[in-house]
Amino acid sequence: MRLEDLGLREGINETIAVTFFEDGRPNTAPVGVVVKDGKAKVRLYPSHTRNNVEREGRIWINVVWDPIVFALSTFEDLGEEWFESIKPPILRNALAWCEFECVAVGDGNPAEFELRLRDGSVVRREVRAVNRGFNALLEALICATRIETDAGMRSRIRELSRIVEKCGDSRTKEAFEIVLRRIR
Ligand SMILES: Cc1cc2nc3c(=O)[nH]c(=O)nc-3n(C[C@H](O)[C@H](O)[C@H](O)COP(=O)(O)O)c2cc1C
């Protein structure tokens, strides 16, 4: 099994990471899986995801294109109704999932973890053209996570809203509304 077969290619792959709290509840968050020279890693700022990875040494990555899943999981955790399976954790509309063992590398911030592939499969195959509205939504979500520390993020989100309006589908526009509500 190769990273590429599971949809993870060279560069930064925007995915939904699932980890588990001590009480067994799943935690979801968008995370960029960095692939270089056939190896995968993540860089994690302080978050529930990072706490869980540090405690359990495991992360499950879902490859998914749903804009609402990205928007909701940026701000909160998706409930179990969003999953088609909990063990392993697979989101309802995921294209692929993988389980990784996480090995801490160094002690900087963000904390870096090498990811060692343990399991995974392709759940469904979908042909899809690039959509600038979806890409703009992802940018806006990243801006929203930085809004407390960077004053320029609000105007950037306003610029991105024009691209979402012009290029996005209705679900992407709905996801963008979630961003706007959260930053108000
Ligand atoms: C597209 C996207 C990619 C992200 N990638 C990362 C990442 O690679 N590392 C990270 O620490 N946070 C990343 N974030 C921010 C986290 O998803 C965000 O801080 C989230 O609220 C953490 O949730 P948690 O506390 O439930 O783990 C990303 C956010 C978005 C929207």
Side-chain angles (χ1 to χ4, degrees), residues 35-72:
V35 174
K36 197 177 168 202
D37 301 328
K39 292 196 171 142
K41 62 183 177 187
V42 283
R43 297 191 188 104
L44 297 176
Y45 289 94
S47 65
H48 292 131
T49 301
R50 176 159 146 188
N51 290 344
N52 292 343
V53 163
E54 283 171 344
R55 199 186 59 256
E56 305 243 293
R58 278 279 189 276
I59 197 167
W60 285 262
I61 293 297
N62 273 236
V63 175
V64 55
W65 272 91
D66 185 341
I68 302 268
V69 163
F70 271 97
L72 289 178

Coordinates of all heavy atoms in Angstrom, one line a residue, residues 35-72:
V35 N 3.7 15.4 2.1 CA 4.3 14.2 1.5 C 5.5 14.7 0.7 O 5.4 15.6 -0.1 CB 3.4 13.4 0.6 CG1 4.1 12.3 -0.1 CG2 2.2 12.9 1.4
K36 N 6.7 14.1 1.1 CA 7.9 14.4 0.4 C 8.8 13.2 0.3 O 8.9 12.5 1.4 CB 8.6 15.6 1.1 CG 9.7 16.3 0.3 CD 10.3 17.4 1.1 CE 11.5 17.9 0.4 NZ 12.5 18.6 1.2
D37 N 9.4 12.9 -0.8 CA 10.2 11.8 -1.0 C 9.6 10.5 -0.5 O 10.2 9.6 0.2 CB 11.6 12.0 -0.2 CG 12.3 13.2 -0.7 OD1 12.2 13.5 -1.9 OD2 13.0 13.9 0.1
G38 N 8.3 10.4 -0.7 CA 7.6 9.1 -0.4 C 7.3 9.0 1.1 O 6.7 8.0 1.5
K39 N 7.6 10.0 1.9 CA 7.3 10.0 3.3 C 6.2 11.0 3.7 O 6.2 12.1 3.1 CB 8.6 10.3 4.1 CG 9.6 9.2 4.0 CD 10.6 9.3 5.0 CE 11.5 8.0 5.0 NZ 12.9 8.4 5.2
A40 N 5.4 10.7 4.7 CA 4.4 11.6 5.2 C 4.7 12.1 6.6 O 5.3 11.4 7.4 CB 3.0 10.9 5.2
K41 N 4.3 13.4 6.8 CA 4.4 13.9 8.1 C 3.3 15.0 8.4 O 2.7 15.5 7.4 CB 5.8 14.5 8.4 CG 6.2 15.7 7.6 CD 7.6 16.1 7.9 CE 8.0 17.2 7.0 NZ 9.4 17.6 7.1
V42 N 3.1 15.3 9.6 CA 2.1 16.4 9.9 C 2.9 17.4 10.9 O 3.8 17.0 11.6 CB 0.8 15.9 10.6 CG1 -0.1 15.3 9.6 CG2 1.1 15.0 11.8
R43 N 2.4 18.6 10.8 CA 2.9 19.6 11.7 C 1.7 20.1 12.5 O 0.8 20.6 11.9 CB 3.6 20.8 11.0 CG 4.7 20.4 10.1 CD 5.5 21.7 9.6 NE 6.5 21.3 8.7 CZ 6.4 21.4 7.4 NH1 5.3 22.0 6.8 NH2 7.4 21.1 6.6
L44 N 1.8 20.0 13.8 CA 0.6 20.3 14.6 C 0.9 21.4 15.6 O 1.8 21.3 16.5 CB 0.1 19.0 15.3 CG -0.3 17.8 14.4 CD1 -0.7 16.6 15.2 CD2 -1.5 18.3 13.5
Y45 N 0.0 22.4 15.6 CA 0.0 23.4 16.6 C -0.8 22.9 17.8 O -1.5 21.9 17.6 CB -0.7 24.7 16.0 CG 0.2 25.4 15.0 CD1 0.1 25.1 13.6 CD2 1.2 26.2 15.4 CE1 1.0 25.7 12.7 CE2 2.1 26.8 14.5 CZ 1.9 26.5 13.1 OH 2.8 27.1 12.2
P46 N -0.7 23.6 18.9 CA -1.5 23.1 20.1 C -3.0 23.0 19.7 O -3.6 23.9 19.2 CB -1.3 24.2 21.1 CG 0.1 24.7 20.8 CD 0.1 24.7 19.3
S47 N -3.6 21.8 20.0 CA -5.0 21.5 19.6 C -5.4 20.2 20.2 O -4.5 19.5 20.8 CB -5.1 21.4 18.1 OG -4.4 20.3 17.6
H48 N -6.6 19.9 20.2 CA -7.1 18.5 20.6 C -6.4 17.4 19.8 O -6.0 16.4 20.4 CB -8.6 18.4 20.5 CG -9.3 19.3 21.4 ND1 -10.4 20.1 21.0 CD2 -9.2 19.5 22.8 CE1 -10.8 20.8 22.1 NE2 -10.1 20.4 23.1
T49 N -6.3 17.7 18.5 CA -5.6 16.7 17.6 C -4.2 16.4 18.2 O -3.8 15.2 18.3 CB -5.6 17.2 16.2 OG1 -6.9 17.5 15.7 CG2 -4.9 16.2 15.3
R50 N -3.5 17.5 18.4 CA -2.1 17.3 18.9 C -2.0 16.6 20.2 O -1.3 15.6 20.4 CB -1.4 18.6 19.0 CG 0.0 18.5 19.5 CD 0.8 19.7 19.2 NE 1.8 20.1 20.2 CZ 2.5 21.2 20.1 NH1 2.4 22.0 19.1 NH2 3.4 21.5 21.1
N51 N -2.9 16.9 21.2 CA -2.9 16.3 22.5 C -3.2 14.8 22.3 O -2.5 13.9 22.9 CB -4.1 16.8 23.4 CG -3.8 18.2 23.8 OD1 -2.7 18.7 23.8 ND2 -4.9 18.9 24.3
N52 N -4.2 14.5 21.4 CA -4.5 13.0 21.2 C -3.4 12.3 20.6 O -3.1 11.1 20.9 CB -5.8 12.9 20.4 CG -7.0 13.4 21.2 OD1 -7.0 13.6 22.4 ND2 -8.1 13.7 20.4
V53 N -2.7 12.9 19.6 CA -1.6 12.3 18.9 C -0.5 12.0 19.9 O 0.1 11.0 19.9 CB -1.1 13.1 17.7 CG1 0.2 12.7 17.3 CG2 -2.1 13.0 16.6
E54 N -0.2 13.0 20.8 CA 0.9 12.9 21.7 C 0.6 11.8 22.7 O 1.5 11.0 23.1 CB 1.1 14.2 22.4 CG 1.9 15.2 21.5 CD 2.0 16.6 22.1 OE1 1.3 16.9 23.0 OE2 2.9 17.3 21.5
R55 N -0.7 11.6 23.0 CA -1.1 10.6 24.0 C -1.1 9.2 23.4 O -0.6 8.2 24.0 CB -2.5 10.9 24.6 CG -2.7 10.2 26.0 CD -4.1 10.5 26.5 NE -5.1 10.0 25.5 CZ -5.9 10.8 24.8 NH1 -5.7 12.1 24.8 NH2 -6.7 10.3 23.9
E56 N -1.7 9.1 22.2 CA -2.0 7.8 21.6 C -1.0 7.3 20.5 O -1.0 6.1 20.2 CB -3.4 7.8 21.0 CG -4.5 8.2 22.0 CD -5.5 7.1 22.2 OE1 -6.2 6.7 21.3 OE2 -5.5 6.5 23.3
G57 N -0.3 8.3 19.9 CA 0.6 7.9 18.9 C -0.1 7.4 17.6 O 0.5 6.7 16.8
R58 N -1.4 7.8 17.4 CA -2.1 7.3 16.2 C -2.9 8.5 15.6 O -3.5 9.3 16.4 CB -3.1 6.2 16.6 CG -2.5 4.8 16.8 CD -2.4 4.2 15.4 NE -2.0 2.8 15.5 CZ -0.8 2.3 15.6 NH1 0.2 3.2 15.6 NH2 -0.5 1.0 15.6
I59 N -3.0 8.5 14.3 CA -3.9 9.4 13.7 C -4.6 8.7 12.5 O -3.9 7.9 11.8 CB -3.1 10.7 13.2 CG1 -4.1 11.9 12.9 CG2 -2.3 10.4 12.0 CD1 -3.3 13.2 12.8
W60 N -5.8 9.0 12.2 CA -6.5 8.5 11.1 C -6.8 9.6 10.1 O -7.3 10.7 10.6 CB -7.9 7.8 11.5 CG -7.7 6.5 12.1 CD1 -7.7 5.2 11.5 CD2 -7.3 6.2 13.5 NE1 -7.5 4.3 12.5 CE2 -7.2 4.8 13.7 CE3 -7.1 7.1 14.6 CZ2 -6.9 4.2 14.9 CZ3 -6.7 6.5 15.8 CH2 -6.7 5.1 15.9
I61 N -6.5 9.5 8.9 CA -6.6 10.5 7.9 C -7.7 10.2 6.9 O -7.7 9.0 6.4 CB -5.3 10.8 7.1 CG1 -4.2 11.3 8.1 CG2 -5.5 11.6 5.9 CD1 -4.5 12.7 8.7
N62 N -8.7 11.1 6.7 CA -9.8 10.9 5.7 C -9.5 11.8 4.6 O -9.3 13.0 4.7 CB -11.1 11.2 6.3 CG -11.8 10.0 7.1 OD1 -12.9 9.5 6.7 ND2 -11.0 9.4 8.0
V63 N -9.5 11.2 3.4 CA -9.5 12.0 2.1 C -10.9 12.3 1.8 O -11.7 11.4 1.5 CB -8.7 11.3 1.0 CG1 -8.8 12.1 -0.3 CG2 -7.3 11.0 1.4
V64 N -11.3 13.6 1.8 CA -12.7 13.9 1.6 C -12.8 15.3 0.9 O -11.9 16.2 1.1 CB -13.4 13.9 3.0 CG1 -12.7 14.8 4.0 CG2 -14.9 14.3 2.9
W65 N -13.8 15.5 0.1 CA -14.0 16.7 -0.7 C -15.2 17.5 -0.2 O -15.6 18.5 -0.8 CB -14.2 16.4 -2.1 CG -13.0 16.3 -3.0 CD1 -12.3 15.1 -3.2 CD2 -12.3 17.3 -3.7 NE1 -11.2 15.3 -4.0 CE2 -11.2 16.7 -4.3 CE3 -12.5 18.7 -3.9 CZ2 -10.3 17.4 -5.1 CZ3 -11.6 19.3 -4.7 CH2 -10.5 18.7 -5.3
D66 N -15.8 17.2 0.9 CA -17.0 17.8 1.3 C -16.7 19.2 2.0 O -16.1 19.2 3.1 CB -17.8 16.9 2.2 CG -19.2 17.5 2.6 OD1 -19.4 18.7 2.5 OD2 -20.0 16.7 3.1
P67 N -17.2 20.3 1.4 CA -16.8 21.6 2.0 C -17.4 21.8 3.4 O -16.8 22.4 4.3 CB -17.4 22.6 1.0 CG -18.4 21.9 0.2 CD -17.9 20.4 0.2
I68 N -18.6 21.2 3.6 CA -19.3 21.4 5.0 C -18.4 20.6 6.0 O -18.3 21.1 7.1 CB -20.7 20.8 4.9 CG1 -21.6 21.5 3.9 CG2 -21.3 20.9 6.3 CD1 -22.3 22.7 4.3
V69 N -17.9 19.4 5.6 CA -17.1 18.7 6.6 C -15.9 19.5 7.0 O -15.5 19.6 8.1 CB -16.7 17.3 6.0 CG1 -15.6 16.7 6.7 CG2 -17.9 16.4 6.0
F70 N -15.2 20.1 6.0 CA -14.1 21.0 6.3 C -14.5 22.1 7.2 O -13.8 22.4 8.2 CB -13.4 21.5 5.0 CG -12.4 20.5 4.4 CD1 -12.7 19.6 3.4 CD2 -11.1 20.6 4.9 CE1 -11.8 18.8 2.9 CE2 -10.1 19.7 4.4 CZ -10.5 18.8 3.4
A71 N -15.6 22.8 6.9 CA -16.0 24.0 7.6 C -16.3 23.6 9.1 O -15.8 24.2 10.0 CB -17.2 24.7 6.9
L72 N -17.2 22.6 9.2 CA -17.6 22.3 10.6 C -16.4 21.8 11.4 O -16.3 22.2 12.6 CB -18.7 21.2 10.6 CG -20.1 21.7 10.1 CD1 -21.1 20.5 10.1 CD2 -20.6 22.8 10.9

